[in-house]
Amino acid sequence: MSLAPSLLPRTSSAQAMVTGLLVVVALAVAGVLRFAVRRFDINGRPDRFRAPLFGLTTVAVLGMVAHATHWQNRLRMAMGTALIGPDYWLRWGLVSVVIVGVFVAIARASGLFVRKSGWARGIAVCLAAASVLYLIGVPAAVDWRRNAYAAANATIDPALVQPVSYARSGSAESAISWTSLGAEGRKFVTGAPAGPIRVYVGLDSAPDLDSRVALAIRELERSGGFERSNIVLAVPTGSGWIDANAVRGFYERFGGDVALVGMQYSYAPSWVSFVFGRDGAVASARALFNAVERRIGTLDHKPELYVYGQSLGALGGSSIFADDADQDHRTCATLWAGPPAGQVHRAGATVLANSSDPVVHWSPSLLWRAPELRGVRVDAPVPQWLPVISFLQTSADLLAALNAPPGHGHRYGTDQGTAMGTC
């Protein structure tokens, strides 16, 4: 199962993690079944079948390794990366054995403790340990990750220079402080190209959603954003990231006659926000869009309004609208890049989706049915869908979706701006 075809090339360590964890699960299932079977008197234990089965399994594993080598190299040739050889599988085997060994050692030590303590006492201790882990360990881990995300958001990259242009949030003239923009916001408002107005409101720029929206409107007014002919509402990913390639693409598409506005709704990575807090993306995008739309309605010179989103930003941006007709009526055009499971309004929208992007494939329904890959760009070989296995493989690929070469996986280039439609 772990060697089944994936969407993206994998390092030997990543492949070993998938293999090791699935082998541990298989051993756990086997242990439970063995415990259950011991309660029955089964005559004629099939020992004579063990050697042939071991031989067939060895041949099957070697065959899967050969097939996985062929598939990985097909992906790598399509994406222009280095091919793998025998050393890849040597590292894979060693790391897999270490992972399985650690879990097996923990399981055996636990079993030994239960046998020496007696079943009743051992189970009681295990239940007590599980309760402590659930009541204390899990909340502590959640707080640790939340604090880690907040710390990463607050860290100021010394390579980034605070903007001096009045047209950028975080400048001296801006009502939004440089420090409150967050790590991704600071990246967004700095750097080339110089033409577009860039307004960004960080999660720490104001205490609640309504005040952040009001601050974004004031910032657009201050910077002259409403005087431009085009306004692009860029819905960030979970961490607040807006792809710099999209910014360059919008500059190529509109020149300097455009204002870009984004608003952060989370510190956490997109996959965390997608699983646990996608409502924040929807509420933030909807509130900001409605406010910008109302303000444009009061102007004599009415800029054209566009919406762009990548990944969870695409889902949040599309959720602004009730349906395709509402989206077409209220915007000049929309562009969605790498939408999760393709869950966006498509009529009149430009949808960028690579066939190798696991974000486009992933959905719980992948367990029992093939993904709907309508309108994807086939950029690499696409594995055949397999029940359960495809879900596991795609879930593993999600962790490396942004590590793919440009134009593959979850990486979309300046097409994110240049492919935006017209009114």
Side-chain angles (χ1 to χ4, degrees):
M1 290 175 68
S2 74
L3 295 174
S6 59
L7 290 168
L8 295 170
R10 287 187 185 151
T11 64
S12 57
S13 298
Q15 183 61 58
M17 287 290 292
V18 177
T19 299
L21 292 176
L22 283 178
V23 169
V24 168
V25 171
L27 289 173
V29 172
V32 171
L33 292 175
R34 184 161 56 247
F35 177 78
V37 167
R38 281 178 184 167
R39 295 176 172 271
F40 301 96
D41 182 18
I42 300 177
N43 294 322
R45 292 177 61 196
D47 289 340
R48 63 183 181 277
F49 295 125
R50 289 188 175 181
L53 283 174
F54 179 76
L56 288 173
T57 303
T58 301
V59 171
V61 170
L62 291 175
M64 284 300 296
V65 167
H67 183 262
T69 302
H70 175 67
W71 181 262
Q72 284 286 311
N73 283 336
R74 283 185 65 192
L75 289 178
R76 289 162 186 267
M77 284 189 289
M79 299 184 186
T81 58
L83 304 184
I84 64 172
D87 58 319
Y88 176 96
W89 295 110
L90 178 61
R91 293 191 298 271
W92 162 78
L94 291 173
V95 177
S96 298
V97 167
V98 169
I99 292 171
V100 174
V102 168
F103 279 95
V104 168
I106 293 172
R108 297 214 168 195
S110 301
L112 181 62
F113 170 77
V114 168
R115 285 193 297 274
K116 288 200 169 187
S117 304
W119 283 101
R121 184 179 298 173
I123 291 174
V125 171
C126 289
L127 287 175
S131 299
V132 170
L133 180 64
Y134 178 75
L135 296 173
I136 299 176
V138 172
V142 170
D143 288 341
W144 170 65
R145 289 312 306 163
R146 185 183 292 117
N147 292 335
Y149 297 144
N153 182 71
T155 301
I156 297 179
D157 184 349
L160 298 179
V161 179
Q162 182 177 359
V164 294
S165 170
Y166 76 94
R168 304 285 179 92
S169 294
S171 63
E173 292 86 356
S174 173
I176 301 173
S177 69
W178 171 246
T179 55
S180 75
L181 288 171
E184 300 300 339
R186 286 186 285 272
K187 293 176 186 176
F188 173 71
V189 300
T190 55
I197 289 173
R198 301 189 204 184
V199 168
Y200 192 94
V201 180
L203 203 56
D204 295 330
S205 299
D208 54 53
L209 177 59
D210 290 340
S211 55
R212 286 193 291 272
V213 170
L215 186 56
I217 298 300
R218 291 199 302 272
E219 192 73 353
L220 277 171
E221 292 172 341
R222 179 201 63 78
S223 62
F226 288 114
E227 298 170 12
R228 299 291 169 99
S229 299
N230 308 282
I231 295 178
V232 177
L233 192 155
V235 185
T237 64
S239 61
W241 177 59
I242 297 174
D243 197 336
N245 287 310
V247 177
R248 286 191 290 271
F250 287 124
Y251 178 70
E252 293 179 23
R253 171 77 168 75
F254 299 112
D257 193 17
V258 62
L260 310 176
V261 54
M263 189 167 71
Q264 187 181 22
Y265 52 85
S266 172
Y267 298 139
S270 270
W271 71 268
V272 176
S273 299
F274 179 73
V275 175
F276 300 107
R278 70 179 76 178
D279 290 345
V282 175
S284 174
R286 189 172 292 161
L288 181 57
F289 180 88
N290 290 341
V292 173
E293 183 182 45
R294 284 195 301 269
R295 186 68 183 92
I296 289 176
T298 65
L299 301 175
D300 295 329
H301 161 73
K302 292 180 170 52
E304 304 292 356
L305 182 56
Y306 301 81
V307 183
Y308 152 77
Q310 181 178 357
S311 192
L312 184 57
L315 187 64
S318 181
S319 298
I320 293 170
F321 312 104
D323 50 32
D324 291 348
D326 187 44
Q327 177 174 284
D328 289 346
H329 174 68
R330 298 173 67 190
T331 64
C332 182
T334 57
L335 189 149
W336 315 126
Q343 298 174 1
V344 290
H345 299 306
R346 290 176 172 268
T350 301
V351 180
L352 303 178
N354 295 327
S355 64
S356 64
D357 186 353
V359 175
V360 172
H361 287 251
W362 193 91
S363 169
S365 64
L366 196 59
L367 284 164
W368 63 84
R369 69 169 179 238
E372 182 182 347
L373 300 178
R374 182 173 33 146
V376 302
R377 182 180 73 89
V378 180
D379 62 291
V382 181
Q384 180 182 358
W385 173 79
L386 298 169
V388 181
I389 294 176
S390 292
F391 175 82
L392 295 173
Q393 290 288 350
T394 303
S395 298
D397 284 330
L398 281 174
L399 300 177
L402 284 172
N403 296 336
H408 302 282
H410 201 51
R411 295 187 64 184
Y412 299 89
T414 55
D415 287 352
Q416 292 173 99
T418 57
M420 178 71 82
T422 56
C423 298

